[in-house]
Amino acid sequence: MLTHIRPAIVLVGFFTLLTGVAYPLAMTAMAQAVFPAAAAGSLVEKSGTVVGSSLVGQQFTSDRYFHGRPSAVNYDASTSSGSNLAPSSSTLLEQVRARAAAYGGRNVPADLVTASGSGLDPDLSPEGAMMQVARVAAVRGVPEAKVGMLVQQHVQGPDLGILGEPRVNVLALNMALDEMKP
Amino acid sequence: MTSDLMQFALYCAVLVAVAVPLGAYMAKIYAGVPGVLVAIERPIFRLAGIDPHKEQTWQAYALAMLAFNAVGFALLFAILKFQDLLPFNPQHLPGLSAHLAFNTAISFVTNTNWQSYGGETTMSYLSQMVGLTTQNFVSAATGMAVAAGVARGLAARQKKTIGNFWADMTRSTLYILLPAAIVLTLVLVWQGVPQTLSPNAVATTLEGTQQTIAVGPVASQIAIKQLGTNGGGFFNVNSAHPFENPTAISNFLEMLSILVISAAFCFTFGRMVGDKRQGRALFAAMGVLFVLGFAGLYASEIATNPLHAPYVAAGSGNMEGKEVRFGIGNSALWIEATTAASNGSVNAMIDSFNPLGGMIAMVNIELGEVVFGGVGVGLTGMLLLVIVTVFLAGLMVGRTPEYLGKKIEAREIKLAALTLLIMPIGVLALSALAIVTGNAHGSVQDAGPHGLTELLYAYSSATGNNGSAFAGFSANVDWHNAWLGVAMLFARFGYIVPILAIAGSLGAKKTAPASSGTFPTHGPLFVTLLVVTILIVGALTFLPVLALGPIAEQVSIAAGQSF
């Protein structure tokens, strides 16, 4: 055993320096040189102030905005979490029923009545966004067709035509909405 | 549906297309590095006093591995315990409690990466980089070295040595893991994964409230956590977090990274033992179990929860705990890959999967993490089951069992059979212990049969060195931190040491030429027998307790019962 102590200590030390210090620091330097905006968290600015990250969802409660998905952490991006409620949970059942009630109670797209995995889902399904067009249009006094068109313009994906699901980024959509009719 | 199946087919095709050449490359590395690379490693070996050409017996190989892991554990424990006194801690997070530091250090040294804590609220940047990322590399390299040693033992002809652990571990890191991680890091940053040492960003949202957005050196850790089948996330929700996994492209590449080295090891093995068909047969058996698991998970999640059916649009599936950008198909595929591969990272919350979907994830782990499995150790775990299978086949026809021309005798069978006891002890005995001592009830989140499933999943994940969780389970209490730590340690080395012993013992034996009486271990008949053996061993052990947990829950919700 003793003959193994020296190589063990030297190699743990060497790999700590190589993979624990040099690797992340070199990657940080390279990432910031090549993709500075992404490396910093894809932050979005509006007239000089940071309003969020294009990749991270944020809380919308006003009827003037499209609402993102339910979140177990109310979109607190310093502590991510899902609800982790069981499929047999009566708490979850009650939540689903109550959330569905806001959209007519039946036949609601699943993403509008369920909490996301991260609590920070930045997207809605196109169906989930379309469900909210009438409300947003009425509050803003804009024709529904115009708001619906804006949603359609913001549908992205599948990536490379095959990967993932079609989706609407809620922050981008709401910023476009503000621009169209403040 | 069609698009989901097309994505699955694309995934499988790309996996094979990358794994085959990677396997060939890895076989070259383990056969001795080409001249140009010697210049890189020579100074390190000299400093450490290692002669990379000096081969070790299986005992010396195992002792070197244990010594290396012991030193790694001590260093990581110290970093975590005292992170408050160390630099790179912009959020001023406190040091971890002794129980949590013990659990986490074992977890990362054993390549489990079970996380009793939430990353962004617990770990300083120094702990994440210097502590955890280092172990992400070297715990993976440890498993890869073990597989290389075992393959050499099976290929050897009357030879007592199985290679040099230090050389195998160092080369696995330098020439396989590190280059792959560098490329993947940059691709992930391009897709939007942050890589910064700045403290959390603060935004003023459109509605005028403050949002604190956790960032950090994320991409470098995510790259190696996938490639090394580690799975420990930077953030609490792991790869469901948009910063760990922002797009469907990042998702595809991360899923590929989860399986690719483990899959490649099948082909490496075939080359190292001088019969590529043997590697293909193992790949085929793993592939069959993988496709079966995916089919079950997908069918479970595309179905609407019967309790929610009155409110939810038909065909939109179970989206609780899932992200819109991944949907049902990519969430089911990820969970199949991560539980099959002993990776443990998640892009959706398994706790909220429909009961049978959650059960399939758990069964993947309970089969012993042999469906591709952890890097290196997935292959060696499968070889233990191969030995059990040839033994059963030998019993059926009344011949001495052989594998690769080596007679399998009482010593090998005893060692292999011993490892079959690890999962039942870790899962069933330790769960039972938690229940009878009253330590289960306080930690489970959900009432009814799901509560039992949460507990079972935690102990399955630890014993299988997987690391994923039914995250509603509160594991961060002294009892579970201690016992889950024991389970991880016991299982990791409880599999590795016996398979090294078997490799040493087989290596010393004569290799008999194949005769007409030899049972071939490369054809469809053997693959079928192997798959059936794996399923029967797993099913016999765990079916009763699965009936009390997930199966009871599925029957309940079908009958309209909630808890």
Side-chain angles (χ1 to χ4, degrees):
Chain A
M1 190 76 188
L2 282 178
T3 56
H4 299 306
I5 293 296
R6 176 177 164 203
I9 290 175
V10 172
L11 286 184
V12 167
F14 169 71
F15 283 118
T16 298
L17 290 178
L18 179 71
T19 63
V21 179
Y23 160 73
L25 293 183
M27 289 294 97
T28 305
M30 277 173 84
Q32 290 184 342
V34 187
F35 308 108
S42 308
L43 301 175
V44 181
E45 291 191 9
K46 190 176 152 189
S47 44
T49 47
V50 175
V51 295
S53 163
S54 64
L55 297 175
V56 175
Q58 56 182 246
Q59 183 90 295
F60 289 102
T61 50
S62 151
D63 284 344
R64 305 177 65 248
Y65 287 117
F66 284 87
H67 298 174
R69 296 182 60 192
S71 160
V73 291
N74 294 320
Y75 289 96
D76 178 351
S78 64
T79 172
S80 57
S81 185
S83 76
N84 290 308
L85 289 170
S88 58
S89 158
S90 29
T91 313
L92 177 61
L93 178 58
E94 183 48 37
Q95 287 177 354
V96 167
R97 199 197 54 74
R99 290 164 185 159
Y103 297 100
R106 295 167 53 84
N107 243 348
V108 185
D111 57 310
L112 285 180
V113 299
T114 53
S116 61
S118 61
L120 303 171
D121 196 337
D123 301 314
L124 281 172
S125 69
E127 299 78 22
M130 290 308 287
M131 288 287 284
Q132 306 184 38
V133 164
R135 182 194 78 227
V136 172
V139 174
R140 294 208 175 223
V142 190
E144 276 187 33
K146 231 178 136 186
V147 178
M149 186 97 97
L150 196 66
V151 172
Q152 293 304 333
Q153 285 164 1
H154 279 81
V155 175
Q156 41 170 318
D159 295 359
L160 306 177
I162 173 164
L163 297 176
E165 304 291 320
R167 57 197 185 269
V168 177
N169 184 300
V170 182
L171 177 59
L173 176 62
N174 282 334
M175 286 180 74
L177 200 60
D178 275 348
E179 224 158 79
M180 183 177 83
K181 170 96 192 201
Chain B
M1 171 97 185
T2 325
S3 123
D4 289 333
L5 296 183
M6 274 168 60
Q7 291 184 64
F8 178 65
L10 178 70
Y11 177 77
C12 294
V14 175
L15 179 67
V16 175
V18 180
V20 172
L22 179 62
Y25 168 75
M26 283 163 37
K28 277 208 188 100
I29 292 293
Y30 294 126
V33 294
V36 281
L37 297 179
V38 172
I40 303 177
E41 56 180 42
R42 192 184 293 140
I44 309 157
F45 287 142
R46 193 168 296 159
L47 185 67
I50 296 164
D51 174 4
H53 301 293
K54 192 179 160 213
E55 296 225 337
Q56 296 167 317
T57 61
W58 81 263
Q59 291 96 334
Y61 200 93
L63 278 177
M65 178 213 48
L66 292 173
F68 179 70
N69 280 260
V71 173
F73 168 81
L75 177 67
L76 181 55
F77 181 85
I79 291 176
L80 298 175
K81 187 84 188 59
F82 302 111
Q83 68 171 7
D84 51 331
L85 308 174
L86 297 165
F88 290 114
N89 185 2
Q91 309 300 329
H92 305 290
L93 295 162
L96 275 59
S97 75
H99 282 87
L100 182 57
F102 166 80
N103 178 285
T104 306
I106 286 188
S107 170
F108 278 75
V109 168
T110 58
N111 197 244
T112 309
N113 301 43
W114 168 269
Q115 294 172 288
S116 275
Y117 57 88
E120 65 270 53
T121 52
T122 314
M123 293 289 170
S124 73
Y125 291 172
L126 183 100
S127 294
Q128 298 259 23
M129 295 193 309
V130 179
L132 304 184
T133 304
T134 302
Q135 282 300 327
N136 279 350
F137 276 98
V138 298
S139 68
T142 297
M144 294 166 75
V146 167
V150 167
R152 276 193 213 103
L154 291 179
R157 285 154 197 269
Q158 291 173 280
K159 200 172 144 194
K160 286 223 153 59
T161 56
I162 60 170
N164 184 300
F165 171 77
W166 304 113
D168 287 339
M169 191 278 300
T170 303
R171 289 168 182 164
S172 300
T173 311
L174 289 182
Y175 311 130
I176 300 166
L177 294 171
L178 191 57
I182 289 172
V183 174
L184 186 59
T185 300
L186 292 175
V187 177
L188 290 179
V189 177
W190 165 57
Q191 283 298 301
V193 181
Q195 181 71 25
T196 174
L197 297 175
S198 310
N200 295 347
V202 179
T204 309
T205 66
L206 291 195
E207 293 196 336
T209 55
Q210 295 260 306
Q211 187 185 33
T212 302
I213 303 174
V215 290
V218 185
S220 56
Q221 188 179 331
I222 301 315
I224 186 59
K225 91 162 188 198
Q226 307 299 19
L227 288 163
T229 58
N230 296 284
F234 197 94
F235 298 105
N236 182 40
V237 293
N238 210 288
S239 288
H241 197 295
F243 275 162
E244 284 201 18
N245 192 5
T247 65
I249 294 174
S250 69
N251 189 67
F252 187 85
L253 293 172
E254 289 185 30
M255 285 195 300
L256 194 65
S257 310
I258 289 174
L259 286 189
V260 74
I261 293 181
S262 298
F265 254 110
C266 296
F267 304 112
T268 306
F269 175 76
R271 283 171 184 269
M272 288 180 79
V273 300
D275 183 355
K276 288 190 216 165
R277 297 172 306 178
Q278 304 293 342
R280 282 187 220 128
L282 298 183
F283 183 85
M286 294 177 180
V288 168
L289 290 165
F290 183 74
V291 172
L292 285 176
F294 171 73
L297 262 164
Y298 183 67
S300 162
E301 296 313 298
I302 197 75
T304 303
N305 183 333
L307 295 174
H308 303 168
Y311 314 112
V312 178
S316 48
N318 174 14
M319 285 299 287
E320 182 70 27
K322 298 189 181 69
E323 301 280 299
V324 166
R325 61 195 178 284
F326 309 137
I328 302 296
N330 280 296
S331 300
L333 178 53
W334 180 297
I335 297 304
E336 172 59 22
T338 193
T339 53
S342 161
N343 179 287
S345 65
V346 295
N347 74 348
M349 298 300 114
I350 315 178
D351 210 345
S352 298
F353 271 41
N354 284 330
L356 295 184
M359 180 180 82
I360 291 169
M362 185 154 71
V363 168
N364 274 332
I365 299 172
E366 289 166 348
L367 294 180
E369 294 292 15
V370 293
V371 184
F372 302 111
V375 287
V377 292
L379 174 78
T380 56
M382 185 56 119
L383 288 172
L384 287 164
L385 289 159
V386 165
I387 287 171
V388 172
T389 304
V390 292
F391 173 65
L392 294 176
L395 284 184
M396 285 189 248
V397 295
R399 279 185 59 94
T400 309
E402 283 174 17
Y403 185 57
L404 306 178
K406 305 279 192 183
K407 278 207 170 69
I408 306 291
E409 290 168 299
R411 178 178 152 82
E412 290 83 41
I413 291 295
K414 277 185 203 155
L415 286 166
L418 204 61
T419 65
L420 295 181
L421 296 175
I422 293 174
M423 283 313 292
I425 292 174
V427 178
L428 301 177
L430 290 186
S431 295
L433 187 65
I435 292 171
V436 298
T437 54
N439 285 293
H441 194 258
S443 283
V444 300
Q445 173 187 262
D446 292 282
H450 194 83
L452 175 64
T453 313
E454 287 184 334
L455 175 74
L456 288 171
Y457 198 96
Y459 281 90
S460 300
S461 179
T463 313
N465 287 159
N466 182 281
S468 63
F470 270 38
F473 184 77
S474 308
N476 193 8
V477 294
D478 289 352
W479 175 277
H480 297 300
N481 276 333
W483 282 105
L484 291 167
V486 169
M488 290 187 260
L489 197 63
F490 163 71
R492 171 78 166 176
F493 300 107
Y495 280 106
I496 287 181
V497 174
I499 187 69
L500 284 173
I502 290 173
S505 141
L506 291 181
K509 290 187 188 190
K510 276 193 216 143
T511 306
S515 70
S516 60
T518 308
F519 178 53
T521 51
H522 56 257
L525 179 62
F526 179 74
V527 170
T528 310
L529 208 55
L530 180 57
V531 168
V532 171
T533 304
I534 293 167
L535 289 176
I536 289 177
V537 169
L540 283 181
T541 315
F542 294 103
L543 194 59
V545 76
L546 295 176
L548 296 174
I551 295 173
E553 188 185 11
Q554 184 76 46
V555 173
S556 303
I557 62 172
Q561 169 78 46
S562 66
F563 295 93

Tab-separated table of all heavy atoms in Angstrom, chain B residues 149-178:
chain	number	residue	atom	x	y	z
B	149	GLY	N	-8.005	-2.861	-17.539
B	149	GLY	CA	-7.324	-3.939	-16.823
B	149	GLY	C	-8.060	-5.262	-16.973
B	149	GLY	O	-7.453	-6.311	-17.213
B	150	VAL	N	-9.394	-5.216	-16.860
B	150	VAL	CA	-10.186	-6.439	-16.969
B	150	VAL	C	-10.083	-7.024	-18.384
B	150	VAL	O	-9.909	-8.237	-18.559
B	150	VAL	CB	-11.657	-6.145	-16.600
B	150	VAL	CG1	-12.559	-7.300	-16.995
B	150	VAL	CG2	-11.768	-5.851	-15.115
B	151	ALA	N	-10.155	-6.159	-19.391
B	151	ALA	CA	-10.057	-6.653	-20.769
B	151	ALA	C	-8.695	-7.324	-20.983
B	151	ALA	O	-8.605	-8.375	-21.630
B	151	ALA	CB	-10.251	-5.503	-21.759
B	152	ARG	N	-7.647	-6.735	-20.430
B	152	ARG	CA	-6.316	-7.344	-20.570
B	152	ARG	C	-6.259	-8.706	-19.899
B	152	ARG	O	-5.671	-9.648	-20.421
B	152	ARG	CB	-5.250	-6.439	-19.961
B	152	ARG	CG	-4.794	-5.384	-20.917
B	152	ARG	CD	-3.506	-4.716	-20.397
B	152	ARG	NE	-3.551	-3.347	-20.829
B	152	ARG	CZ	-3.863	-2.328	-20.062
B	152	ARG	NH1	-4.100	-2.502	-18.785
B	152	ARG	NH2	-3.915	-1.111	-20.572
B	153	GLY	N	-6.897	-8.798	-18.724
B	153	GLY	CA	-6.910	-10.082	-18.021
B	153	GLY	C	-7.572	-11.160	-18.856
B	153	GLY	O	-7.077	-12.278	-18.975
B	154	LEU	N	-8.705	-10.826	-19.485
B	154	LEU	CA	-9.426	-11.816	-20.278
B	154	LEU	C	-8.639	-12.182	-21.541
B	154	LEU	O	-8.773	-13.282	-22.067
B	154	LEU	CB	-10.815	-11.293	-20.649
B	154	LEU	CG	-11.782	-11.164	-19.468
B	154	LEU	CD1	-13.125	-10.618	-19.919
B	154	LEU	CD2	-11.986	-12.514	-18.804
B	155	ALA	N	-7.845	-11.230	-22.035
B	155	ALA	CA	-7.084	-11.506	-23.252
B	155	ALA	C	-5.790	-12.243	-22.955
B	155	ALA	O	-5.207	-12.863	-23.843
B	155	ALA	CB	-6.777	-10.195	-23.974
B	156	ALA	N	-5.343	-12.190	-21.685
B	156	ALA	CA	-4.006	-12.716	-21.356
B	156	ALA	C	-3.960	-14.239	-21.456
B	156	ALA	O	-4.971	-14.919	-21.291
B	156	ALA	CB	-3.630	-12.282	-19.938
B	157	ARG	N	-2.781	-14.719	-21.740
B	157	ARG	CA	-2.567	-16.163	-21.750
B	157	ARG	C	-1.538	-16.511	-20.695
B	157	ARG	O	-0.365	-16.193	-20.832
B	157	ARG	CB	-2.042	-16.599	-23.129
B	157	ARG	CG	-3.111	-16.617	-24.174
B	157	ARG	CD	-2.550	-16.416	-25.568
B	157	ARG	NE	-3.630	-16.039	-26.468
B	157	ARG	CZ	-4.347	-16.931	-27.160
B	157	ARG	NH1	-4.077	-18.207	-27.088
B	157	ARG	NH2	-5.323	-16.530	-27.948
B	158	GLN	N	-2.006	-17.109	-19.654
B	158	GLN	CA	-1.146	-17.539	-18.537
B	158	GLN	C	-0.203	-16.431	-18.091
B	158	GLN	O	1.009	-16.584	-18.091
B	158	GLN	CB	-0.357	-18.792	-18.921
B	158	GLN	CG	-1.265	-19.995	-19.056
B	158	GLN	CD	-0.524	-21.178	-19.588
B	158	GLN	OE1	-0.285	-21.302	-20.774
B	158	GLN	NE2	-0.145	-22.080	-18.697
B	159	LYS	N	-0.771	-15.310	-17.764
B	159	LYS	CA	0.008	-14.161	-17.360
B	159	LYS	C	-0.589	-13.626	-16.068
B	159	LYS	O	-1.808	-13.625	-15.908
B	159	LYS	CB	-0.109	-13.108	-18.472
B	159	LYS	CG	0.957	-12.063	-18.479
B	159	LYS	CD	0.809	-11.229	-19.752
B	159	LYS	CE	1.147	-9.808	-19.454
B	159	LYS	NZ	0.737	-8.901	-20.495
B	160	LYS	N	0.268	-13.189	-15.157
B	160	LYS	CA	-0.247	-12.805	-13.843
B	160	LYS	C	-0.614	-11.321	-13.762
B	160	LYS	O	-1.198	-10.880	-12.780
B	160	LYS	CB	0.813	-13.123	-12.767
B	160	LYS	CG	0.939	-14.609	-12.483
B	160	LYS	CD	1.035	-14.848	-10.976
B	160	LYS	CE	0.537	-16.210	-10.547
B	160	LYS	NZ	1.229	-17.335	-11.163
B	161	THR	N	-0.237	-10.529	-14.761
B	161	THR	CA	-0.426	-9.089	-14.641
B	161	THR	C	-1.533	-8.594	-15.583
B	161	THR	O	-1.828	-9.228	-16.596
B	161	THR	CB	0.869	-8.343	-14.989
B	161	THR	OG1	1.269	-8.751	-16.288
B	161	THR	CG2	1.966	-8.647	-13.989
B	162	ILE	N	-2.122	-7.447	-15.233
B	162	ILE	CA	-3.233	-6.914	-16.035
B	162	ILE	C	-2.990	-5.458	-16.455
B	162	ILE	O	-3.925	-4.759	-16.835
B	162	ILE	CB	-4.574	-7.011	-15.264
B	162	ILE	CG1	-4.508	-6.221	-13.951
B	162	ILE	CG2	-4.934	-8.461	-14.985
B	162	ILE	CD1	-5.854	-6.092	-13.279
B	163	GLY	N	-1.754	-4.998	-16.414
B	163	GLY	CA	-1.483	-3.624	-16.843
B	163	GLY	C	-1.079	-2.750	-15.671
B	163	GLY	O	-0.905	-3.234	-14.557
B	164	ASN	N	-0.929	-1.464	-15.927
B	164	ASN	CA	-0.516	-0.533	-14.891
B	164	ASN	C	-1.630	0.481	-14.648
B	164	ASN	O	-2.003	1.243	-15.543
B	164	ASN	CB	0.772	0.179	-15.338
B	164	ASN	CG	1.332	1.095	-14.265
B	164	ASN	OD1	0.658	2.021	-13.840
B	164	ASN	ND2	2.553	0.823	-13.816
B	165	PHE	N	-2.172	0.466	-13.419
B	165	PHE	CA	-3.310	1.347	-13.123
B	165	PHE	C	-2.979	2.810	-13.375
B	165	PHE	O	-3.769	3.562	-13.954
B	165	PHE	CB	-3.786	1.171	-11.677
B	165	PHE	CG	-4.802	2.197	-11.268
B	165	PHE	CD1	-6.121	2.079	-11.680
B	165	PHE	CD2	-4.447	3.318	-10.523
B	165	PHE	CE1	-7.066	3.045	-11.349
B	165	PHE	CE2	-5.389	4.283	-10.193
B	165	PHE	CZ	-6.701	4.141	-10.602
B	166	TRP	N	-1.791	3.238	-12.929
B	166	TRP	CA	-1.456	4.671	-13.025
B	166	TRP	C	-1.427	5.106	-14.486
B	166	TRP	O	-1.932	6.176	-14.839
B	166	TRP	CB	-0.102	4.944	-12.385
B	166	TRP	CG	-0.025	4.482	-10.958
B	166	TRP	CD1	0.754	3.477	-10.477
B	166	TRP	CD2	-0.782	4.973	-9.843
B	166	TRP	NE1	0.539	3.320	-9.126
B	166	TRP	CE2	-0.393	4.219	-8.710
B	166	TRP	CE3	-1.745	5.970	-9.693
B	166	TRP	CZ2	-0.932	4.437	-7.447
B	166	TRP	CZ3	-2.284	6.195	-8.434
B	166	TRP	CH2	-1.876	5.433	-7.336
B	167	ALA	N	-0.851	4.255	-15.332
B	167	ALA	CA	-0.777	4.604	-16.748
B	167	ALA	C	-2.176	4.627	-17.366
B	167	ALA	O	-2.531	5.562	-18.095
B	167	ALA	CB	0.110	3.600	-17.475
B	168	ASP	N	-2.983	3.619	-17.043
B	168	ASP	CA	-4.328	3.558	-17.639
B	168	ASP	C	-5.179	4.751	-17.218
B	168	ASP	O	-5.903	5.351	-18.019
B	168	ASP	CB	-5.031	2.265	-17.211
B	168	ASP	CG	-4.456	1.039	-17.917
B	168	ASP	OD1	-3.839	1.213	-18.984
B	168	ASP	OD2	-4.612	-0.081	-17.391
B	169	MET	N	-5.102	5.099	-15.916
B	169	MET	CA	-5.930	6.188	-15.411
B	169	MET	C	-5.463	7.520	-16.007
B	169	MET	O	-6.282	8.323	-16.477
B	169	MET	CB	-5.832	6.193	-13.881
B	169	MET	CG	-6.813	7.064	-13.156
B	169	MET	SD	-6.304	8.760	-13.093
B	169	MET	CE	-4.752	8.605	-12.229
B	170	THR	N	-4.158	7.732	-16.022
B	170	THR	CA	-3.631	8.987	-16.556
B	170	THR	C	-3.980	9.138	-18.037
B	170	THR	O	-4.419	10.207	-18.476
B	170	THR	CB	-2.094	9.010	-16.375
B	170	THR	OG1	-1.818	8.845	-14.989
B	170	THR	CG2	-1.509	10.324	-16.857
B	171	ARG	N	-3.801	8.069	-18.793
B	171	ARG	CA	-4.077	8.154	-20.236
B	171	ARG	C	-5.560	8.325	-20.522
B	171	ARG	O	-5.944	9.019	-21.462
B	171	ARG	CB	-3.525	6.898	-20.925
B	171	ARG	CG	-2.005	6.909	-20.957
B	171	ARG	CD	-1.422	5.588	-21.367
B	171	ARG	NE	0.045	5.676	-21.320
B	171	ARG	CZ	0.845	4.627	-21.327
B	171	ARG	NH1	0.345	3.405	-21.396
B	171	ARG	NH2	2.156	4.786	-21.281
B	172	SER	N	-6.423	7.690	-19.706
B	172	SER	CA	-7.873	7.876	-19.902
B	172	SER	C	-8.227	9.355	-19.768
B	172	SER	O	-9.056	9.877	-20.522
B	172	SER	CB	-8.660	7.083	-18.851
B	172	SER	OG	-8.372	5.715	-18.949
B	173	THR	N	-7.596	10.011	-18.806
B	173	THR	CA	-7.901	11.427	-18.604
B	173	THR	C	-7.294	12.290	-19.704
B	173	THR	O	-7.985	13.121	-20.306
B	173	THR	CB	-7.355	11.913	-17.247
B	173	THR	OG1	-7.755	10.997	-16.235
B	173	THR	CG2	-7.872	13.297	-16.903
B	174	LEU	N	-6.006	12.089	-19.956
B	174	LEU	CA	-5.290	13.008	-20.838
B	174	LEU	C	-5.707	12.884	-22.301
B	174	LEU	O	-5.789	13.878	-23.014
B	174	LEU	CB	-3.781	12.763	-20.738
B	174	LEU	CG	-3.096	13.193	-19.455
B	174	LEU	CD1	-1.600	12.922	-19.557
B	174	LEU	CD2	-3.337	14.671	-19.168
B	175	TYR	N	-5.940	11.657	-22.746
B	175	TYR	CA	-6.122	11.471	-24.191
B	175	TYR	C	-7.559	11.187	-24.596
B	175	TYR	O	-7.871	11.151	-25.780
B	175	TYR	CB	-5.213	10.334	-24.689
B	175	TYR	CG	-3.784	10.475	-24.218
B	175	TYR	CD1	-3.118	9.416	-23.629
B	175	TYR	CD2	-3.122	11.695	-24.343
B	175	TYR	CE1	-1.815	9.553	-23.175
B	175	TYR	CE2	-1.822	11.841	-23.890
B	175	TYR	CZ	-1.169	10.774	-23.306
B	175	TYR	OH	0.116	10.918	-22.850
B	176	ILE	N	-8.429	10.912	-23.619
B	176	ILE	CA	-9.827	10.620	-23.985
B	176	ILE	C	-10.754	11.679	-23.394
B	176	ILE	O	-11.430	12.404	-24.119
B	176	ILE	CB	-10.234	9.208	-23.519
B	176	ILE	CG1	-9.321	8.153	-24.174
B	176	ILE	CG2	-11.698	8.927	-23.893
B	176	ILE	CD1	-9.405	6.776	-23.547
B	177	LEU	N	-10.773	11.780	-22.056
B	177	LEU	CA	-11.759	12.657	-21.416
B	177	LEU	C	-11.473	14.138	-21.662
B	177	LEU	O	-12.379	14.902	-22.014
B	177	LEU	CB	-11.796	12.384	-19.913
B	177	LEU	CG	-12.314	11.002	-19.509
B	177	LEU	CD1	-12.099	10.776	-18.017
B	177	LEU	CD2	-13.801	10.875	-19.835
B	178	LEU	N	-10.215	14.539	-21.469
B	178	LEU	CA	-9.919	15.969	-21.525
B	178	LEU	C	-10.144	16.574	-22.914
B	178	LEU	O	-10.824	17.606	-23.027
B	178	LEU	CB	-8.489	16.220	-21.014
B	178	LEU	CG	-8.110	17.680	-20.764
B	178	LEU	CD1	-9.061	18.344	-19.773
B	178	LEU	CD2	-6.678	17.781	-20.232
